[in-house]
């Protein structure tokens, strides 16, 4: 890759990644907002908690760190998910200032309905790539995430 000295926004990789991420998020939000009544933050909470084993829980801070979403947005999202009976909050045995979050049966059922729909949307989004291009893209994403210290973080944050 030739080193640029003149910055062209349309060729600037961070801009392109951000623009692409915003568009993909918008497409996915159409699905889970219109069909299931949850927003992007609530979606992130739902999926993060669903990734835990059924008896496991995690802190809101874990969700903040693994999703890179501001703690005030996660806090509001958690409160709404509790109001909707998708999430429960219990006091941590180790630190009374920290609450542990877990999906309810209703939250797991919601995840079971939403996941196939968004996975189909993901397939539609990447359908412009052949299998070799998709694998190369995924490997590039893995390397970029690794270079930014994002790989393996989820397991480290869980108690």
């Amino acid at each position: 890759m030739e080193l640029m000295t003149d910055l062209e926004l349309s060729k600037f990789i961070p801009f392109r990644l951000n623009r692409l991420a915003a568009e993909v998020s918008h497409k996915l939000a159409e699905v889970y907002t219109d069909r299931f009544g949850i927003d992007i933050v609530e979606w992130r909470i739902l999926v993060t908690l669903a990734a835990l084993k059924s008896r496991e829980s995690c802190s809101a801070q874990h969700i903040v760190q693994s999703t890179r979403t501001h703690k005030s947005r996660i806090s509001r999202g958690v409160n709404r998910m509790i109001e909707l009976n998708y999430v429960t909050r219990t006091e941590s045995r180790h630190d009374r200032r920290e609450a542990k979050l877990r999906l309810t049966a209703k939250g797991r059922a919601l995840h079971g309905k939403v996941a196939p729909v968004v996975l189909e949307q993901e397939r539609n989004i990447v359908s412009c790539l052949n299998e070799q291009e998709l694998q190369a893209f995924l490997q590039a994403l893995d390397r970029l995430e690794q270079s930014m210290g994002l790989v393996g973080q989820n397991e480290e944050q869980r108690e």
Side-chain angles (χ1 to χ4, degrees):
M1 185 168 113
E2 186 178 318
L3 191 60
M4 292 189 315
T5 55
D6 293 330
L7 179 64
E8 290 182 53
L9 195 56
S10 64
K11 294 181 180 178
F12 188 56
I13 293 170
F15 170 76
R16 294 178 70 191
L17 287 171
N18 188 57
R19 185 178 62 174
L20 180 60
E23 190 60 29
V24 168
S25 288
H26 177 74
K27 290 249 183 244
L28 290 176
E30 288 175 354
V31 172
Y32 51 73
T33 300
D34 294 347
R35 284 183 159 176
F36 302 101
I38 59 173
D39 67 18
I40 190 169
V41 173
E42 294 157 358
W43 159 250
R44 290 174 183 173
I45 293 165
L46 181 75
V47 174
T48 302
L49 292 176
L52 302 173
K53 293 180 181 143
S54 63
R55 297 217 181 268
E56 285 186 340
S57 60
C58 73
S59 67
Q61 185 61 29
H62 166 76
I63 298 171
V64 166
Q65 291 173 339
S66 63
T67 65
R68 296 296 201 247
T69 305
H70 194 273
K71 63 184 178 181
S72 64
R73 294 184 71 205
I74 293 295
S75 178
R76 283 191 300 273
V78 164
N79 288 336
R80 181 156 186 274
M81 296 294 277
I82 289 169
E83 287 172 20
L84 295 170
N85 194 31
Y86 292 134
V87 171
T88 61
R89 178 178 20 219
T90 56
E91 205 174 83
S92 171
R93 287 186 237 152
H94 306 294
D95 184 349
R96 292 178 47 163
R97 295 168 296 174
E98 181 177 79
K100 292 298 183 177
L101 306 171
R102 178 179 292 138
L103 284 183
T104 64
K106 185 178 176 185
R108 289 206 176 276
L110 175 65
H111 180 264
K113 293 176 194 169
V114 176
V117 177
V118 296
L119 287 169
E120 178 64 27
Q121 187 74 355
E122 178 190 45
R123 282 188 289 278
N124 292 339
I125 290 167
V126 299
S127 66
C128 64
L129 304 174
N130 66 36
E131 188 59 33
Q132 184 179 1
E133 291 169 330
L134 179 58
Q135 290 309 311
F137 178 68
L138 293 172
Q139 288 175 346
L141 282 177
D142 288 346
R143 296 219 20 219
L144 287 169
E145 287 176 334
Q146 191 173 36
S147 76
M148 300 298 289
L150 296 175
V151 175
Q153 209 171 46
N154 293 344
E155 288 71 32
E156 294 168 13
Q157 298 303 324
R158 216 179 286 149
E159 281 188 1

